[in-house]
Amino acid sequence: MSAVLADFAAAGTGAATGTAAAAAGCFHCGSPVPAGSRWQADIDGAARSMCCPGCAAAAEAIVLGGFGGYYRARTEYAAPAADGADDPELVLIDQQGLNGEASFSIEGVRCGACVWLVERRLGALPGVSEVALNVATGRVFVRWDPALCRPSDIVRALRAIGYAAAPYDAQRHAARLEQERRTLFRQLFVAGLAMMQVMMYAVPVYLADDGTMDAAMAALMGWASFALTLPAVAYSALPFFRGAWRDLKRGVPGMDVPVALGIAAAFAGSCAALVSGKGDVYFDSITMFVFLLLGSRYLELGARRRATQALEALRGGAPASALRLRGDPARRDTELVPAAALAAGDLVLVPPGRAVPADGTIVEGCTDLDFSLLTGESLPRRMGPGALLPGGAVNGGQAIVLRVVAAARDSTLAMLVRLVERAGQGKPAISLWADRAAAWFVAGLLLLTVLVYLLWNVFDPARAWPAAIAVLVVSCPCALSLATPTALAAATDRLLRRGVLAIAPHTLETFERATHVVFDKTGTLTLGRPVLRQVLPIGPLDSDMCLRIGAAMQAENVHPIGLAIRAAMPAHGLLARELRSTFGRGFEGRIDGVLYRIGTADFVQELAGGMARAAAPSGTSTAWLGCEGQWLARFDLSDAVREEAPEVVRRFQEAGKTVILLSGDGQEASAAVARELGIDSAFGACLPDEKLAFVRALQEQGAVVAMVGDGSNDAAVLRGADVSFAMGCGAELAQVHADGVLLGESLLPLAEAAETAHRTLSVIRQNLLWASLYNLAAIPAAATGLLNPWLAGIGMAGSSALVVLNALRLRRG
């Protein structure tokens, strides 16, 4: 960074000293400062005016880099680059380490025409292989070849077609949306105030159509309405005029073009009628139209802001610092370090109320953990020594000591944030259709408006202007463009709050069409880890006492069997001393002076003597407990079916989908689980390539296959299925290859995702149907003169608000 800043200084890209610094131009480059510019940088303790955000960023970077003396030593301004290639802001963008793929914030995207233009322009850049613009979140995802393209090339290309853009930054993006909301609210307020006041003057004129109002009074009412309408047109309608001008400059008509033309035509016609004293004025219609359209746009902005809230909550869940332990953990000697500096093997103290800074294993303490941010679970989980915690979980009980197993950048939370960033970047087929339809619709609308005006000029010239205005206003394709992205944003937000992350753009659409749901067994339909099924006493002690002793003996065991026994009796109240582990056999230790062993039968037999009784049932793992001269108990453990699995299977079957179990475990074990869950088809002993071949065979028969798995060996079949889901507690490789991720340990959100997918596609179809029927009915009515401009404004704004409100219903429940 210092080298880059030194290059800035050497190039002389700043303002001159002394008299030059006092000039009215930009303190950094000397260019004129636009009127109303808010850009400043703090240099030598004074706020210096800047002409653009690029100069402000460059000046701040120079000062922060220790080169503040450059501004005192320079002698002249540098000649500005002709093409912006040396723009300091673009140079800094290339220094941010964006390597091959990134998201960019983009301002001014309004409709399908914008989407088409942005994706087409960026797709034409050398080295760019993927472009996906998300209208709902105002972000475009780009993947490129670093050898052929730079991030600054992408930003420059977007700015060249009229869009302000920068690499995505969560805080900046949120601040921009908030600023946009405030500005839009002020414009909405001015338009609403103007509308109410203009109506006070327009209503008496309408009521006096019998000639009771003289010409002078009518003219006074008209001029008063003009004065009140002027702020609405000059200030409140600015977003439409700016958007239309940008669209016209790049030669792609968007939905702002008919809106701006309608407002301008109605205002110009009204002014002409007011001056000449002939014809009708539409000041009331103009203010109402601007107010209602801004109102629907305000609702849309609210939906966009809510669509980004889940991601920002995840980003905020990662703590910036951690308490790393030095030396003996018992001394609690800690140092405050950045969470990013943690490495595998570090011991950290997590006080109550703090988030876990990185993935790690509890080595000391037992506490309640809140996983709601990661999985959507509302109830905390009790966890103790040996338990693996993901970064981002919140400690809700006592302080615990954690051994870090992965750096913060590789934590579960960091991976989840990356997956969420991928989510919603593309568009399903139904959304692409809507984008194309909206883009063609605007061009056809403008042609239709001209034809309506010409035809009315032939038959009744007095009605030509109002009819043309009504057609422009009533048929703006806002509803068509908003129908899909608002519904998808609301559905994605709803699913994420319930523990399901939809990553691929087609996830909901394809899941709703799935005919077959194929489940892996171990770790998916079952827990994938041993669970204590029974304690069988074979000595003088009862099962409860045997379990207490067994849990105390497993206090230091991180093997799945030891964890399962300890989980069954977390508060055993006994202390095992002199614990010794024999690898692969078990543990030995003393409780209240008595020597015990727990582990394999051979290991316990050496202490207890005799022979173990009561052979274990097939399909289970066992651990034996004994003391000197005495066998005490047998612990039976097996992989248990998830508690919610029967309900999930039943709900899919009731929805008419075929459920299949496809497992790498033996056929007998797979069939037993299938019988327990009511699944008719079970196929065991399947290798990864055989699973993929099975799914492809179903697809060749016309099936739409949804696959659910958890392990690395499921990655291939997850990628090959039409739509796939990975368990959040499973392997990272499976999650990367899946179209969706279940963030918690429960399968129940999968069934809820299927129902949400059905509701989402229904809402999208409702919105598209309404937008289409509305235009089919409203456009002919406007063209034939049945709709006045003010009625057209109500209809168009109401149509847009209706599809947004209908989509927001998906967030409830």
Side-chain angles (χ1 to χ4, degrees), residues 16 54 76 78 85 102 106 204 244 341 355 414 491 511 557 573 578 583 639 661 686-687 753:
E76 60 181 352
I106 181 169
F511 198 26
N557 189 5
E578 303 176 24
F583 181 75
D639 188 8
L661 191 153
C686 294
L687 298 175

Side-chain angles (χ1 to χ4, degrees), residues 730-746:
E732 181 175 344
L733 183 62
Q735 297 171 9
V736 169
H737 285 81
D739 299 314
V741 176
L742 305 182
L743 303 178
E745 294 190 359
S746 174

